[in-house]
Amino acid sequence: MLKKKSKYIVAIVGATGAVGREMVSILEERKFPVSELVLLASDRSEGERIEFDGKNRSVKKLVNDSFHGVDIALFSAGSEQSLKYAPLAVAAGAVVIDNSSAFRMDDKVPLVVPEINAHALDKHTGIVANPSSSTIGLLMALKPIHEAVKVKRVVVTTFQSVSGTGKDAIDELAGQTVALLNFKDIEVKVYPHQIAFNCLPHIDGFLENGYTKEEMNMANETRKVMEDDTIRLTCTTVRVPVFRCHAESVNIETEKELSANEARAILAKMPGVLVYDDPSRSIYPLHLDVSGKDEIYVGRVRADDTVKNGLNIWIVIDNIRKGAALNAVQIAERLLP
Ligand code: A2P
């Protein structure tokens, strides 16, 4: 529980990563009341300098007592680090906002998209979780439709950029692309196959049911954030050779009828959603255009006439911003007393 102060000591765990760096700039952009920023990463980055508020700050190695005096700890260093260090941060008196999948389905941990279920924050006991970036993108569009006509079933296919895996994957896509265009051999380290000029229907490990963890996470996280166990969701998650943003092709079946025009009007009213939909002028959300944006972009809204009340939409989210860093900072803002 945060005590009222004029400014807070904020730690970023994974400060040198793709999401961690974005957290630093979003805290600055949104003028979050920071008295001291503690930048934490592995010993590989110890001493690296990151600019915040006009000053260069030194990255420190994450250790057990890194959280002494910290009020808010934003974690984005992977599940293993979250499982080990988040409880230590809470014991030291910090509120943790975790971007990993470590605690998302833990009953004691609220899973929050502030525009959708900020009320769940009232019940936190020290840790709050960010949903996965594709789930955030999906739910920002699904929530207002669900409220209007009740969503029964959803079929999602994602087109996820390599930044969702982290900075090593960004380097791998760049390195493979340069190597291939120069007729050189490529290195394949991060993914099981070449990612340059290729699409991989494989994100995170496979489960016994044939789905990947990422796919089951989207189904489970959707029901938790929407607080509705009746929503059926099936999905295929695909890694594409794009640096930033995730796109999602979404087929939605609803209980009551909703025309494409009505859906556009409902989506346009949702805070944080931008309807970008004029196919006659080739206007629809693109990975490149949404990069760096706070809003979820929705386009290609059209009726699916093959089912009773069906709708197809295309969503693009900046996975590093609203899909991770921005959502975490928005949660922190909501937690301020
Ligand atoms: P480092 O840069 O020192 O490896 P990304 O998701 O973009 O790959 O970033 C992962 C972030 O998590 C980086 O800041 C990385 O730090 C950090 N990290 C990874 N492993 C550890 C660890 N064992 N202890 C602390 N930070 C870690």
Side-chain angles (χ1 to χ4, degrees), residues 90-108:
V90 173
V95 176
V96 168
I97 302 166
D98 184 35
N99 192 50
S100 81
S101 59
F103 303 103
R104 284 182 190 147
M105 294 314 294
D106 185 326
D107 287 342
K108 292 186 292 304

Side-chain angles (χ1 to χ4, degrees), residues 14-18 41-42 44-45 62 76-77 81 165-167:
T16 52
S42 79
R44 293 179 290 275
S45 309
L62 174 64
S76 195
Q81 313 313 321
T165 313
K167 58 184 159 65

Side-chain angles (χ1 to χ4, degrees), residues 46-331:
E46 212 174 350
E48 202 177 299
R49 314 287 291 181
I50 293 181
E51 199 183 306
F52 174 73
D53 233 358
K55 280 191 220 134
N56 262 320
R57 289 151 205 261
S58 182
V59 175
K60 296 190 187 121
K61 181 184 166 190
L62 174 64
V63 289
N64 287 357
D65 59 2
S66 290
F67 302 96
H68 183 70
V70 168
D71 298 302
I72 301 166
L74 306 176
F75 273 66
S76 195
S79 290
E80 215 179 297
Q81 313 313 321
S82 293
L83 285 168
K84 179 168 175 199
Y85 292 99
L88 297 177
V90 173
V95 176
V96 168
I97 302 166
D98 184 35
N99 192 50
S100 81
S101 59
F103 303 103
R104 284 182 190 147
M105 294 314 294
D106 185 326
D107 287 342
K108 292 186 292 304
V109 175
L111 183 65
V112 174
V113 182
E115 293 88 342
I116 298 176
N117 65 335
H119 58 265
L121 291 171
D122 297 343
K123 292 200 204 111
H124 86 82
T125 54
I127 303 178
V128 178
N130 247 3
S132 75
S133 45
S134 317
T135 307
I136 294 177
L138 172 71
L139 298 188
M140 289 287 290
L142 215 54
K143 174 68 178 176
I145 294 173
H146 189 53
E147 278 193 347
V149 286
K150 193 162 183 1
V151 171
K152 282 173 29 186
R153 178 169 183 262
V154 192
V155 184
V156 186
T157 306
T158 69
F159 303 72
Q160 299 183 216
S161 65
V162 296
S163 53
T165 313
K167 58 184 159 65
D168 292 348
I170 297 172
D171 292 344
E172 182 141 315
L173 173 59
Q176 288 181 354
T177 306
V178 170
L180 288 164
L181 292 176
N182 285 288
F183 307 102
K184 295 205 172 117
D185 290 338
I186 57 158
E187 262 194 313
V188 176
K189 283 196 300 203
V190 176
Y191 299 115
H193 304 279
Q194 174 185 325
I195 183 65
F197 310 105
N198 208 5
C199 295
L200 315 179
H202 176 181
I203 298 185
D204 209 340
F206 279 101
L207 300 167
E208 267 182 16
N209 63 2
Y211 284 78
T212 63
K213 279 192 210 156
E214 180 88 348
E215 289 160 352
M216 292 315 296
N217 285 349
M218 184 181 266
N220 295 329
E221 291 173 24
T222 292
R223 289 188 279 265
K224 181 165 174 180
V225 176
M226 302 277 268
E227 296 166 355
D228 188 336
D229 283 339
T230 65
I231 298 174
R232 287 175 298 148
L233 186 147
T234 182
C235 116
T236 306
T237 54
V238 184
R239 189 72 67 192
V240 296
V242 167
F243 287 107
R244 189 147 165 159
C245 294
H246 294 347
E248 303 172 51
S249 162
V250 185
N251 177 262
I252 307 165
E253 258 184 87
T254 57
E255 207 157 276
K256 292 189 225 134
E257 198 183 339
L258 186 73
S259 72
N261 276 337
E262 286 166 336
R264 273 188 217 99
I266 284 171
L267 287 163
K269 284 199 205 122
M270 174 74 179
V273 171
L274 203 128
V275 176
Y276 196 67
D277 195 19
D278 186 357
S280 68
R281 294 194 294 137
S282 302
I283 287 180
Y284 30 72
L286 297 174
H287 287 82
L288 286 180
D289 294 341
V290 178
S291 180
K293 303 287 193 321
D294 286 351
E295 295 86 1
I296 307 308
Y297 280 49
V298 185
R300 302 291 321 278
V301 180
R302 62 212 190 273
D304 169 11
D305 295 330
T306 67
V307 288
K308 190 153 170 260
N309 297 319
L311 206 61
N312 281 314
I313 61 173
W314 171 258
I315 300 169
V316 182
I317 176 173
D318 184 327
N319 57 304
I320 302 294
R321 277 184 89 80
K322 179 58 182 166
L326 174 62
N327 200 69
V329 174
Q330 287 175 318
I331 290 173

